Amino acid sequence: MPFTPPTPRPYEAAPPRRRKRRRLAVLLEVGTAFGYLSVLGALGPYAMSYFDLLPIEVKLALCAGAAALLPFRRRFPVTILLILAALAGALPICGMLTALVAYDAIRRVDGPRRRTVVLFTATMIPMLTAVAGTAGTGYGSWRYGLAQGIVVGGVGILVPGLVGSSRGQQDRLVVALRERAAAAEEARRLTDSASRVEERSRIAAEMHDLVGHRLSLISLHSGGLEMALATKAPELKDEAAQVRAATRDAMNELRAVLGVLGPLGRDTGTEALTDATGTRADIDALAEESRAAGIAVTVRWQGPDLDGLEPRVRRAVHRVVRESLTNVHRYATGASVELTVEHTDDRVRVTVRNGAPPAPPEATTGLGTGRGLTGLRERVGLLGGTLRTGPTGVGGFLVEATVPAHPAAPAASAAHPETSPASLTAEEHHQSGALPGILRHLPGLATGILGLVGVGTMLAFGLSLVESSRPVKEPLSPESIHVGMGREAVESAYLYDNDLARAAAAGHEPRRPSSTDCIFPYTGEEALGGRLKLTRYCFRGDVLTDIDRFWVPAVR
């Protein structure tokens, strides 16, 4: 049958080693977030964007919220990436955190077209945000915002996204190669198993055709000889009977050997598996055959019928009952038998208990070789069950088999444990545990840290170049202030009313024009000869109407 690799479920319980790696990843993410906030605390006042108009506390709160989104990137990678991209366009210092999320999110996105759309959209969002925010707040021109968005989108999203896309392609290729290797290994194992089954079947057919035919002829001639000697030489009749009995036992043992050499998935001969094998009707038929031969069999059935179970389970139940009743016929003729079948949700228990026979077995029967019970024990063990046999305290014999109702592993895998998934998992687990997990992840961790440092350096360098090219309007000098200018233009020259200068001008200033509002800025000039020079600017409304310069006494 074709091999289908197992599909992992997203919410499947992870093994202990995987859970440890996830806890380690969460701790690293928390440490990264705290380190990021520490860097932001040191460089936050120098963040270059229109968000400089906001207090540093607001910028810290926004970046703390961005860091809090980091643990959710595995569950909602694309959504978290788009949110951080918009925030990075407004606050470029978030570009380092966006780079980390961009690498991981693009690596997880399936499909080349979807990866391209997500990466292009995430790269354009910082550009649009920077242009709209810069032009809307007047912090700079739209060209300055576009340049800033290009740096943040290119360095913080596009480059890490391309690296993540390449890494994701590599991971998917490795997974595909592993699945292909597993499929090839499984196909090879199935081919080897089919070859073994074919060879065993050929051997069984040869033995049946050659040895079985000869034994049948010997048994037939022995029976005829026994009947002839009954009248002509009665003293030799017993020897002929022994020959016939030995031939019969040899035929039975040959059938058992042929059943072992036959295909692993089915029985051979006239006792092949049918739809009724192992069901309640089949067990009752076996019991009825024994009753017809003079054995008192009592059948007790507990639970539902076995018709819904796997064929190998029903076959095992049939074999246990048949072998047990056959042994009663051979070694305890005339003994009563109690046959019990208990079927629960997880197991099937078959108990065959016979009492003491009324007479000991014949000398020609012997005590048996025990091969039948050995074969039963192997058959039950292949299904993960147990077989318990032994004499009872009252001279009888007990056979008790417990078989799982739903065996976990196929019989072929159990027969060859070297190729079973459990053994491979244990071996891989042992090999993976040979080197501590933290040492195996050190190269990847070092690469990630160096990548973040490189992204941060490139962001800082690019944003510094953009900021240095931003046109800045130079403030007016006090000498360029003239009558007729507006109040806002005067204040742009950093001329604000000063309480000390106003107090010094009280009683010494010239007469004020009517209906004006005057300010007394402090120019920082030094006192000369015990006097200090002050300048008075008077406004009528918001228009400068008078500029007066005068001297006042300097007071220490």
Side-chain angles (χ1 to χ4, degrees), residues 139-196:
Y139 185 80
S141 64
W142 68 270
R143 296 182 180 85
Y144 167 77
L146 179 61
Q148 188 181 66
I150 290 176
V151 171
V152 175
V155 177
I157 297 178
L158 183 60
V159 173
L162 292 176
V163 176
S165 177
S166 176
R167 178 59 185 273
Q169 286 288 90
Q170 180 182 358
D171 293 343
R172 282 182 283 272
L173 179 61
V174 170
V175 171
L177 291 177
R178 287 178 178 174
E179 292 178 352
R180 185 173 181 178
E185 181 66 21
E186 181 69 10
R188 186 193 63 81
R189 190 190 67 80
L190 292 177
T191 302
D192 294 344
S193 178
S195 300
R196 286 193 298 268

Side-chain angles (χ1 to χ4, degrees), residues 346-517:
D346 56 348
R347 62 181 174 83
V348 178
R349 176 179 295 174
V350 181
T351 305
V352 181
R353 186 194 309 269
N354 65 275
E362 299 179 0
T364 57
T365 305
L367 298 178
T369 61
R371 295 177 182 174
L373 295 180
T374 302
L376 286 183
R377 184 171 286 104
E378 293 178 355
R379 179 177 291 274
V380 173
L382 290 178
L383 299 177
T386 58
L387 181 71
R388 186 167 63 95
T389 61
T392 62
V394 293
F397 199 82
L398 171 67
V399 177
E400 183 182 69
T402 302
V403 182
H406 305 283
S413 298
H416 304 281
E418 68 275 6
T419 59
S420 64
S423 62
L424 290 178
T425 303
E427 182 180 357
E428 291 176 357
H429 181 74
H430 175 72
Q431 293 178 356
S432 63
L435 190 65
I438 187 64
L439 295 180
R440 291 188 295 108
H441 291 287
L442 275 181
L445 185 62
T447 303
I449 292 176
L450 291 177
L452 284 178
V453 172
V455 168
T457 304
M458 293 173 63
L459 275 176
F461 181 73
L463 292 175
S464 299
L465 289 180
V466 173
E467 182 66 18
S468 63
S469 63
R470 181 170 70 95
V472 179
K473 186 177 181 180
E474 296 293 335
L476 298 176
S477 61
E479 290 76 12
S480 62
I481 303 301
H482 56 85
V483 175
M485 297 181 64
R487 184 187 295 268
E488 183 178 353
V490 175
E491 291 179 351
S492 67
Y494 302 105
L495 299 177
Y496 301 100
D497 191 31
N498 185 273
D499 294 336
L500 294 178
R502 180 181 289 274
H508 302 282
E509 62 177 313
R511 184 174 178 274
R512 294 186 184 184
S514 60
S515 302
T516 58
D517 177 23

Side-chain angles (χ1 to χ4, degrees), residues 20-307:
K20 290 181 181 179
R21 289 201 298 264
R22 288 182 179 177
R23 287 197 292 266
L24 179 62
V26 171
L27 291 177
L28 289 176
E29 289 173 358
V30 173
T32 302
F34 275 106
Y36 167 73
L37 291 177
S38 300
V39 173
L40 179 63
L43 302 180
Y46 307 100
M48 300 167 290
S49 73
Y50 60 88
F51 260 55
D52 287 351
L53 304 176
L54 297 177
I56 183 61
E57 292 80 6
V58 177
K59 291 188 287 186
L60 282 173
L62 291 175
C63 291
L69 296 175
L70 191 61
F72 298 97
R73 62 185 173 89
R74 288 188 177 87
R75 190 173 180 85
F76 310 103
V78 177
T79 304
I80 300 301
L81 173 61
L82 297 181
I83 294 176
L84 291 180
L87 186 58
L91 195 60
I93 200 170
C94 293
M96 291 181 61
L97 198 64
T98 308
L100 177 62
V101 176
Y103 168 80
D104 189 66
I106 300 301
R107 183 172 65 91
R108 293 173 180 271
V109 175
D110 294 329
R113 180 172 298 180
R114 186 166 182 262
R115 281 197 302 272
T116 303
V117 171
V118 172
L119 186 58
F120 177 77
T121 304
T123 305
M124 293 299 297
I125 286 179
M127 302 180 188
L128 299 177
T129 305
V131 169
T134 303
T137 58
Y139 185 80
S141 64
W142 68 270
R143 296 182 180 85
Y144 167 77
L146 179 61
Q148 188 181 66
I150 290 176
V151 171
V152 175
V155 177
I157 297 178
L158 183 60
V159 173
L162 292 176
V163 176
S165 177
S166 176
R167 178 59 185 273
Q169 286 288 90
Q170 180 182 358
D171 293 343
R172 282 182 283 272
L173 179 61
V174 170
V175 171
L177 291 177
R178 287 178 178 174
E179 292 178 352
R180 185 173 181 178
E185 181 66 21
E186 181 69 10
R188 186 193 63 81
R189 190 190 67 80
L190 292 177
T191 302
D192 294 344
S193 178
S195 300
R196 286 193 298 268
V197 169
E198 183 179 358
E199 185 64 21
R200 289 158 65 102
S201 300
R202 188 186 64 81
I203 296 174
E206 291 291 337
M207 292 181 63
H208 179 271
D209 293 342
L210 297 178
V211 183
H213 180 66
R214 298 298 182 184
L215 289 177
S216 299
L217 291 177
I218 294 174
S219 178
L220 178 62
H221 289 296
S222 298
L225 180 61
E226 181 181 0
M227 294 179 61
L229 291 176
T231 57
K232 296 182 180 180
E235 67 277 4
L236 299 178
K237 177 183 176 182
D238 293 339
E239 284 75 3
Q242 290 181 9
V243 173
R244 184 171 59 83
T247 305
R248 180 191 61 196
D249 294 340
M251 287 291 294
N252 291 334
E253 292 178 359
L254 177 61
R255 291 192 182 98
V257 172
L258 293 180
V260 173
L261 289 178
L264 298 176
R266 60 179 178 86
D267 290 337
T268 57
T270 58
E271 299 165 347
L273 178 68
T274 63
D275 293 338
T277 300
T279 60
R280 186 167 186 173
D282 181 41
I283 302 303
D284 290 338
L286 292 176
E288 187 61 32
E289 291 179 2
S290 296
R291 295 191 191 101
I295 301 297
V297 182
T298 303
V299 179
R300 288 202 301 268
W301 191 285
Q302 300 178 9
D305 203 347
L306 306 184
D307 51 358

